[in-house]
């Protein structure tokens, strides 16, 4: 059997030599071989920087996001093939869906967020404008642009599809090409994934590269423009972080490491409560999904001391019903570990844990009943439940058995539960199963600084809860300390990890030209054609209309109060209004000002403007009194075409001023504007 090819520098390359064999986790049969002998990682990095990078950066965020959606749809059509190959990693059908569907879901999520939250441009405007001078001619603005390097990812064996895709998605949206280095044990599944990506032709050539095997001198060739993301053991993360070139070149490094995650059952639970059942069910799920080979699995289960026996017995009964064996069998609930070496590692860790714990269920050192599988050939272990009656002992808080192993421990009160949770020295996730808000607040606020994510599970949210062990692309995945000290995904935060934030200081017109977003103080274009009469293609940033003035009368204020029911005293009681320290007398409603401003800037006849779908950042800055005259200036601030749609979005800057030129209200108006020519496809 020849070694798997790597996809480097735009072509599939076969390594030299026989390679290292990889085995089916359930049967022990050889599946593939891997090697990187004779391959050139440095050339791959150069190809990514010089060929793929420039092409990606020419695309806008929206164009890159649209390609991700197309890729996700393509991969979804090949799920069954990926499921079948995933079974050889020891994964059941459910495990495979968790991995494959989860990874595809990340692509869909980043495609959506990229188009909704980022501009249809190559520069991201990060935060608001900072005035740096009194006259408004000198401004500061943070912008983010793609790093001009390669996003290198080194992945763990447990999620050979989700792992690469959850790192690829934010990097691709940012405009960085990716080089994937899969873990050896399950590299053949990642290899097929990359084959599907390359065969699709959807992504620009070189956007994704694959190095199957030992990374060799890959890290020696990273630069300050590259990023390095790692998922795996805390020990390996430390070695990568301290690599001479990674340190010398200040390579952006992100680690997501294994951790001793915990779940805490609240004292409000009773053996017949919904929370008790939810806790037990979650603990069994987190122990058995992927045979416990999840960096988010529950390793430490803290329960009220008076419930420790009931919880232990309830979990033991459930685990006793778990059928272990060949993951291809529909009768099997839990498959194998990744390989025989991993089985030995779990046995070694269990031995350390048993110095302070006792085994309640499962023994990996003696044969046990298997479904359609051989104990000697496959990397099988039973689900294991441990009990530690002295939670002050160190082993449960320091030793992780990366398999189907969890330990039940008692706690005294909320403060004790917090103390025990924090002894994990940094975790990816913790969960609190309780319907007591005060207990939840105490635990979450007390333990949060040692956790990247915390789940509250109870009868109120269980129907929709995504579960303790499921990272979401919208939320942070990572954690402090032992968990690696990094962050992955987290929506657009993950995209910005692959970009450089730069503070730009300039005049308003220059900043407008740079960001393609109208800046305060920049020139406005006022023409005879009302902006609302222009189609999306005809509009330009800075197009403006001035409406007014209109005098606000006392009768306007009275009728507005009567019509809307807003009879707050400042609008209806002259004496009471005068006693208010912020007003000099009767004041017009702020929403009256906004409503009258709309009447001043709108062009009412049917035309390209299809709808007003929102108003944001509204601030009332100066009171408006009867007798004041208001004028509104509406300026096209940002224009965002929607791809494959016959309209786009326009954000308008609205500035309402009084007769003295003082701003009385400022806000953004959001509209949908038709395109003159519809896009095809």
């Amino acid at each position: 059997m020849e070694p798997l090819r790597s996809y480097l520098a735009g072509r599939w390359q076969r390594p030299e030599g026989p390679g290292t064999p990889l085995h089916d986790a359930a049967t022990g049969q050889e599946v593939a071989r891997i090697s990187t002998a004779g391959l050139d990682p440095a050339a791959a990095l150069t190809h990514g920087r010089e060929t793929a990078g420039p092409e990606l950066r020419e695309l806008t965020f929206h164009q890159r996001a649209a390609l991700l959606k197309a890729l996700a749809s393509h991969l979804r059509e090949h799920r069954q093939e990926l499921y079948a190959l995933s079974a050889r990693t020891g994964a059941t059908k459910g495990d495979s869906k968790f991995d494959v569907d989860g990874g595809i879901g990340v692509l869909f999520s980043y495609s959506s967020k990229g188009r909704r939250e980022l501009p249809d441009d190559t520069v991201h405007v990060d935060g608001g404008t900072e005035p740096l001078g009194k006259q408004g001619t000198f401004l500061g603005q943070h912008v983010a642009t793609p790093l001009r390097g390669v996003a290198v990812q080194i992945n763990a064996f447990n999620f050979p599809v989700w792992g690469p895709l959850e790192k690829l998605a934010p990097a691709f949206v940012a405009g960085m090409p990716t080089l994937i280095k899969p873990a050896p044990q399950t590299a053949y599944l990642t290899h097929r994934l990359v084959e599907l990506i390359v065969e699709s032709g959807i992504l620009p050539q070189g956007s994704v590269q694959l190095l199957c095997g030992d990374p060799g001198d890959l890290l020696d060739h990273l630069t300050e423009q590259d990023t390095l993301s790692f998922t795996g053991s805390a020990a390996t993360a430390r070695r990568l972080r301290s690599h001479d070139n990674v340190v010398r070149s200040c390579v952006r490094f992100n680690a997501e490491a294994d951790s001793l995650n915990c779940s805490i059952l609240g004292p409000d639970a009773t053996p017949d409560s919904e929370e008790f059942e939810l806790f037990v069910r979650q603990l069994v799920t987190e122990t058995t999904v992927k045979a416990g080979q999840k960096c988010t699995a529950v390793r430490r289960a803290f329960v009220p001391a008076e419930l420790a026996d009931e919880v232990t017995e309830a979990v033991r009964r459930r685990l006793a019903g778990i059928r272990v064996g060949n993951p291809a069998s529909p009768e099997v609930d839990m498959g194998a570990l990744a390989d025989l070496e991993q089985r030995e590692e779990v046995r070694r860790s269990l031995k350390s844990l048993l110095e302070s714990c006792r085994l309640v269920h499962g023994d990996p050192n003696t044969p046990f009943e298997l479904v359609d599988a051989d104990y000697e050939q496959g990397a099988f272990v039973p689900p294991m439940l441990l009990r530690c009656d002295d939670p002050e002992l160190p082993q449960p808080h320091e030793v992780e058995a990366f398999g189907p192993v969890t330990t039940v421990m008692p706690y005294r009160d909320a403060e004790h539960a917090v103390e025990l949770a924090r002894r994990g020295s940094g975790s990816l996730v913790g969960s609190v199963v309780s319907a007591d808000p005060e207990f939840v607040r105490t635990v979450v606020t007390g333990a949060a600084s040692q956790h990247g994510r915390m789940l509250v599970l109870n009868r109120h949210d269980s129907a929709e809860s995504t579960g303790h062990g499921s990272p979401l692309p919208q939320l942070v995945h990572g954690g402090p300390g032992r968990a690696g000290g990094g962050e992955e995904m987290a929506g657009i935060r993950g995209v910005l990890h692959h970009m450089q934030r730069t503070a730009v200081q300039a005049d308003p017109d220059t900043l407008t030209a740079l960001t393609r977003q109208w800046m305060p103080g920049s020139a406005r274009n006022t023409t005879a054609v009302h902006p609302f009469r222009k189609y999306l293609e005809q509009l330009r940033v800075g197009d403006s209309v001035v409406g007014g003035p209109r005098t606000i009368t006392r009768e306007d204020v009275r009728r507005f109060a009567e019509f809307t029911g807003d009879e707050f005293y400042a609008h209806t009681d002259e004496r009471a209004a005068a006693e208010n320290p912020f007003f000099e007398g009767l004041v017009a409603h702020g929403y009256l000002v906004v409503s009258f401003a709309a009447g001043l800037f709108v062009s009412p006849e049917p035309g390209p403007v299809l709808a007003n779908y929102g108003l944001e950042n509204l601030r009332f800055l100066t009171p408006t009194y009867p007798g004041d005259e208001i004028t509104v200036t509406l300026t096209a601030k940002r224009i965002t075409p929607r791809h494959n749609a016959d309209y786009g979005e326009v954000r308008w800057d609205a500035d309402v001023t009084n007769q003295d030129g003082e701003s009385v209200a400022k806000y953004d108006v959001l509209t949908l504007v038709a395109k003159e020519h519809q896009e095809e496809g």
Side-chain angles (χ1 to χ4, degrees):
M1 183 178 290
E2 291 187 326
L4 295 172
R5 297 176 300 168
S6 289
Y7 187 70
L8 303 172
R11 60 189 179 90
W12 289 103
Q13 302 182 32
R14 185 80 67 185
E16 300 171 355
T20 302
L22 307 178
H23 300 97
D24 186 303
T27 67
Q29 296 176 339
E30 185 173 322
V31 179
R33 289 173 174 259
I34 57 169
S35 172
T36 56
L39 302 181
D40 189 351
L45 292 172
T46 299
H47 177 77
R49 297 183 194 115
E50 297 181 358
T51 301
E55 185 173 353
L56 274 181
R57 292 193 297 273
E58 283 295 315
L59 301 176
T60 68
F61 293 107
H62 286 202
Q63 290 171 326
R64 295 191 288 260
L67 291 177
L68 273 192
K69 181 179 180 181
L71 177 62
S73 299
H74 172 75
L75 293 177
R76 190 163 58 179
E77 295 175 359
H78 293 269
R79 284 181 297 176
Q80 296 303 324
E81 176 186 351
L82 294 173
Y83 294 161
L85 193 55
S86 176
R88 309 206 70 173
T89 72
T92 65
K93 184 66 171 292
D95 296 337
S96 298
K97 288 183 175 181
F98 194 94
D99 182 25
V100 175
D101 293 8
I104 294 172
V106 173
L107 297 183
F108 276 122
S109 178
Y110 267 93
S111 172
S112 176
K113 291 185 93 47
R115 285 175 291 172
R116 286 188 290 108
E117 300 179 30
L118 293 170
D120 191 27
D121 196 4
T122 58
V123 176
H124 172 57
V125 178
D126 186 14
T129 305
E130 297 290 342
L132 303 177
K134 294 182 179 180
Q135 304 302 317
T137 62
F138 189 49
L139 305 177
Q141 177 67 60
H142 288 96
V143 300
T145 54
L147 292 173
R148 300 198 171 192
V150 175
V152 175
Q153 50 170 272
I154 299 177
N155 291 305
F157 63 80
N158 52 340
F159 287 100
V161 175
W162 183 86
L165 294 182
E166 63 97 5
K167 293 180 175 67
L168 166 66
F172 186 82
V173 172
M176 285 191 79
T178 290
L179 189 151
I180 299 169
K181 210 298 288 183
Q185 298 96 317
T186 54
Y188 52 88
L189 181 51
T190 305
H191 181 272
R192 182 55 188 146
L193 170 70
V194 175
E195 280 186 332
L196 291 170
I197 293 173
V198 174
E199 290 167 2
S200 75
I202 292 170
L203 304 187
Q205 197 276 327
S207 299
V208 176
Q209 300 185 79
L210 175 70
L211 184 65
C212 274
D214 189 279
D217 63 353
L218 174 66
L219 300 190
D220 292 335
H221 303 287
L222 297 180
T223 73
E224 74 286 347
Q225 288 291 296
D226 300 312
T227 64
L228 176 61
S229 298
F230 169 74
T231 298
S233 72
T236 303
R238 286 193 293 271
R239 289 199 299 272
L240 295 175
R241 181 180 280 112
S242 60
H243 185 277
D244 285 347
N245 184 52
V246 171
V247 174
R248 182 172 57 253
S249 299
C250 294
V251 177
R252 291 193 189 184
F253 177 70
N254 189 81
E256 182 262 294
D258 48 19
S259 62
L260 290 157
N261 310 296
C262 71
S263 186
I264 302 170
L265 178 63
D268 53 308
T270 59
D272 60 351
S273 68
E274 291 184 51
E275 281 68 35
F276 187 96
E277 168 63 20
L278 290 169
F279 183 83
V280 170
R281 189 191 311 160
Q282 173 177 269
L283 199 54
V284 172
T285 297
E286 292 302 318
T287 302
T288 57
V289 169
K290 294 287 287 186
Q293 298 169 114
K294 294 195 306 175
C295 53
T296 55
V298 176
R299 306 300 181 194
R300 302 175 298 152
F302 300 122
V303 302
E306 62 273 17
L307 290 177
D309 290 341
E310 287 90 341
V311 170
T312 302
E313 177 58 20
V315 175
R316 187 201 65 76
R317 286 198 306 268
R318 301 282 180 95
L319 291 179
I322 296 296
R323 294 162 297 184
V324 182
N326 190 329
S329 171
E331 300 176 13
V332 166
D333 302 308
M334 189 179 92
L337 298 176
D339 58 15
L340 294 175
E341 182 180 340
Q342 184 60 24
R343 184 171 72 176
E344 292 309 307
E345 176 60 31
V346 169
R347 287 172 171 170
R348 286 192 293 270
S349 298
L350 179 66
K351 183 178 180 180
S352 295
L353 286 169
L354 290 177
E355 294 177 13
S356 59
C357 306
R358 58 185 170 90
L359 196 59
V360 176
H361 177 81
D363 185 348
N365 297 306
T366 58
F368 54 95
E369 184 178 352
L370 290 172
V371 177
D372 191 25
D374 183 271
Y375 179 79
E376 296 299 330
Q377 297 298 319
F380 295 103
V381 295
M384 288 162 272
L385 178 65
L386 281 64
R387 173 78 175 266
C388 178
D389 290 321
D390 184 358
E392 306 305 323
L393 293 173
Q395 286 86 352
H397 310 290
E398 296 175 358
V399 178
E400 179 182 27
F402 199 70
V405 184
T406 192
T407 303
V408 174
M409 290 178 273
Y411 71 83
R412 295 186 302 272
D413 51 31
E415 288 71 23
H416 190 214
V418 168
E419 176 190 337
L420 294 175
R422 296 183 62 86
R423 288 190 62 183
S425 300
S427 299
L428 295 172
V429 57
S431 58
V432 187
V433 184
S434 173
D436 181 346
E438 288 305 312
F439 177 80
V440 169
R441 175 178 169 81
T442 298
V443 171
V444 171
T445 57
S449 68
Q450 287 280 31
H451 292 77
R453 175 169 61 91
M454 297 204 72
L455 167 75
V456 178
L457 179 64
N458 55 41
R459 68 193 69 182
H460 305 302
D461 64 3
S462 61
E464 292 190 309
S465 175
T466 51
H468 172 103
S470 300
L472 299 175
Q474 304 95 321
L475 303 179
V476 165
H477 180 48
R482 177 181 177 130
E487 289 187 358
E488 291 181 336
M489 298 190 294
I492 299 304
R493 294 181 184 88
V495 175
L496 295 178
H497 176 74
H498 299 87
M499 306 183 77
Q500 176 61 45
R501 181 182 293 108
T502 303
V504 180
Q505 298 166 273
D507 63 277
D509 287 334
T510 298
L511 281 180
T512 294
L514 171 67
T515 63
R516 295 177 182 171
Q517 176 175 308
W518 185 84
M519 295 288 171
S522 184
R524 292 184 169 98
N525 309 315
T526 304
T527 67
V529 180
H530 193 290
F532 279 21
R533 314 314 305 167
K534 297 180 179 181
Y535 287 97
L536 195 74
E537 302 94 324
Q538 299 166 341
L539 272 172
R540 297 292 180 268
V541 168
D543 282 357
S544 182
V545 62
V546 178
R550 170 169 178 165
T551 301
I552 305 297
T553 68
R554 188 178 294 268
E555 180 64 10
D556 290 332
V557 177
R558 186 194 67 77
R559 292 178 63 188
F560 192 86
E562 180 180 333
F563 183 74
T564 63
D566 181 359
E567 297 185 348
F568 184 64
Y569 74 88
H571 312 307
T572 57
D573 187 330
E574 183 81 45
R575 179 176 300 175
E579 294 175 355
N580 186 305
F582 294 103
F583 305 132
E584 298 174 0
L586 207 66
V587 65
H589 305 72
Y591 296 112
L592 178 151
V593 172
V594 172
S595 299
F596 281 13
L600 294 175
F601 66 63
V602 75
S603 178
E605 300 82 11
V609 175
L610 304 175
N612 175 339
Y613 73 94
L615 184 151
E616 293 181 350
N617 306 319
L618 173 62
R619 294 292 183 271
F620 298 116
L621 305 171
T622 303
T624 299
Y625 299 102
D628 282 352
E629 292 182 345
I630 62 169
T631 299
V632 61
T633 303
L634 191 75
T635 306
K637 186 175 184 178
R638 189 170 69 209
I639 302 169
T640 306
R642 281 194 181 179
H643 296 285
N644 298 320
D646 57 3
Y647 62 89
E649 302 166 7
V650 180
R651 178 179 291 265
W652 306 82
D653 177 87
D655 184 11
V656 184
T657 57
N658 61 21
Q659 65 278 5
D660 299 322
E662 299 172 313
S663 292
V664 300
K666 288 189 174 186
Y667 49 98
D668 289 352
V669 177
L670 312 178
T671 62
L672 301 178
V673 178
K675 298 175 182 176
E676 186 174 18
H677 304 290
Q678 295 189 16
E679 295 181 7
E680 296 182 1

